[in-house]
Amino acid sequence: MTDGKMPLRAIVATTASKTAAALSRAAGRGDGSVIGGWIGLKIDPDLLSHLASGRAVALVSGTNGKTTTTRLTAAAVGVLGRVATNGYGANMPTGHTSALAKEGHTPFAVLEVDEHYLAQVIDATRPKVVALLNLSRDQLDRAKEVAMMAQLWKTALAGHPEIRVVANADDPMVVWAAAGSPQTTWFSAGQRWHDDSFVCPESGHPIERANGDWWCTGCPLRRPVPQWVVEEDGVIDPRGDWHLVKLQLPGKVNLGNAATALAVAGEFGVRPIEALPRLSRVTSIAGRYAQVDRDGRNIRLLLAKNPASWLEAFDMADQAPTLLSINARDPDGLDTSWLWDVDFAPLRDRPVLITGDRAYDLAVRLEVNRVPFQHVQTFDQALAAVPPGRLEVIANYTAFQDIRAVLDRVN
Ligand SMILES: [Zn+2]
C-alpha cells in the first residue's frame, strides 16, 4: 500500500493521528498512541482497515503474556523486513491505528489485541495469523465470563476460515475456541492456572488432567497434539528438531512465549534458526523484567495483574528478597478479593516486603497463608530494608507504574 492509494480522508486522518500523538508525547503524556489513534479514527472510522491493507498482519491475544509474546513475535518476523507493532501494550483499536500510522508503510505488522476486541480487529485488519495464548479471569470486577470470551473468539474465527490460527493446546478454552478453524497450528506452552477451565465449554462435563494431557469426560474435546513444544530450555519445531532458546527474559513462562513467537513467525516462513538470535536480544518490555541498579541493589520488575500471572511471577522470581505492591485503582480493578485465589506459599522461604494502597489486604492474605512479611511505606524504605544484591519486585498494574516512575520510567 502506498499513501497514493489511500483515500484522502484516510491520509488526513493518518496525519492528524501522528500529530496528536507527537503533541501528547511532547506534553509528557505517555507515548501518545491512544490519543493519536482516537483522533485518527474520529476523522476516518475505517482508518485501521486502510492502514492495515497491504500488510501481512499477525494478531496476538489472550489474558496473559500478550505484550511479551507480541514483542518476541515482532522480533522474529523482523527477519523478513520491517514490522509495525504496538510494543507498549496500547492494545485496543486506537492503539493499533496509532502504531500503524506511526510506522508508515511496513510489509508486516504484529499487533497485541485486548481479548474483548479480537473480533473487531480481525474484521478491520484481515490478519494472516491469529495467535491465541490463554483465557483466564482478569481483574474480578471487570471480568467477563471466561467461557463467554471463548465463545466470542470462536464466533469471530468462524467467519474467517482463511486465517491461520496458532493456539495453545494446553488451555481447553483456547482449544475449544480455535478447534473449528480449518487451519490451526497448536503449540504447547503449559497452563499453570487451571481454576477457570475445570468445566468443558462444549458439554459442561468436568475436564480431567494428567501428565500435561487433558480431556473432557463427556465429549470428544481433548488436548490436540501440538506441533511446537517447549522441552527443557528449548523448543521442538514441527519437524521434530530441538532448538536451544536463550532469552534474557526470566522463567519457563517466557520460554512458552518464545515458542509461541516462533510458531507465529513460522507461519510467515521464518525458521527458528533465523529468529532465535533476535529473541535473545529482547531484554524488557515497557519496564517488565527491567533490571535497575540502585544503592547496590539489583532491582528486577515483574508485573502481575491477575491470579494466573501472580503464579507466573513467583515462577520467574529468584530466591531473593521480594517486594509485593498492590493497588486497587480503576485499571487494577477495585476488588482485591482475587488475593484469596492466589497461593503465596512459594514465597515462604524468602524475606517478603509489602507496600501499595492495599498493602493491608495483602497483609491479611499473607497472614492466613503463613507467609512472614514486613510492611514498608515507600519504595525507598524497601530498598533500605534489604541487603545489597537482587530485589525482586512483583506489582499489579498501577503499583508497577508507580514503582517505574520512582525508578525514572525504566524500559
Ligand atoms: Zn465436553
Side-chain angles (χ1 to χ4, degrees), residues 20-107:
L23 285 172
S24 174
R25 275 194 300 280
R29 296 173 183 270
D31 78 338
S33 55
V34 172
I35 184 69
W38 187 82
I39 288 177
L41 286 169
K42 279 282 162 205
I43 298 172
D44 177 3
D46 293 326
L47 183 57
L48 182 54
S49 308
H50 290 308
L51 288 169
S53 128
R55 305 188 211 229
V57 176
L59 305 180
V60 177
S61 197
T63 311
N64 288 319
K66 52 189 180 290
T67 303
T68 304
T69 304
T70 298
R71 177 67 167 271
L72 292 171
T73 304
V77 174
V79 166
L80 301 173
R82 283 179 59 226
V83 180
T85 186
N86 52 340
Y88 291 89
N91 61 14
M92 297 182 211
T94 46
H96 305 140
T97 302
S98 172
L100 297 184
K102 194 166 85 183
E103 276 306 305
H105 178 65
T106 59

Side-chain angles (χ1 to χ4, degrees), residues 200-207 216-221:
C200 174
E202 180 67 29
S203 67
H205 292 89
I207 283 172
C216 174
T217 51
C219 82
L221 189 74

Side-chain angles (χ1 to χ4, degrees), residues 6 40 49-50 57 65 108 126 159 181 236 246 276 281 307 322 335 349 380 386 392 394 396:
M6 269 219 287
S49 308
H50 290 308
V57 176
F108 302 97
R126 301 311 208 108
S181 297
I236 301 174
K246 283 190 184 158
L276 284 165
R281 289 200 287 272
T322 301
D335 183 341
D349 45 9
D380 285 334
V386 299
E392 299 282 11
I394 310 177
N396 70 350

Side-chain angles (χ1 to χ4, degrees), residues 321-334:
T322 301
L323 173 68
L324 309 177
S325 185
I326 304 275
N327 288 346
R329 300 176 200 162
D330 237 8
D332 307 307
L334 305 179

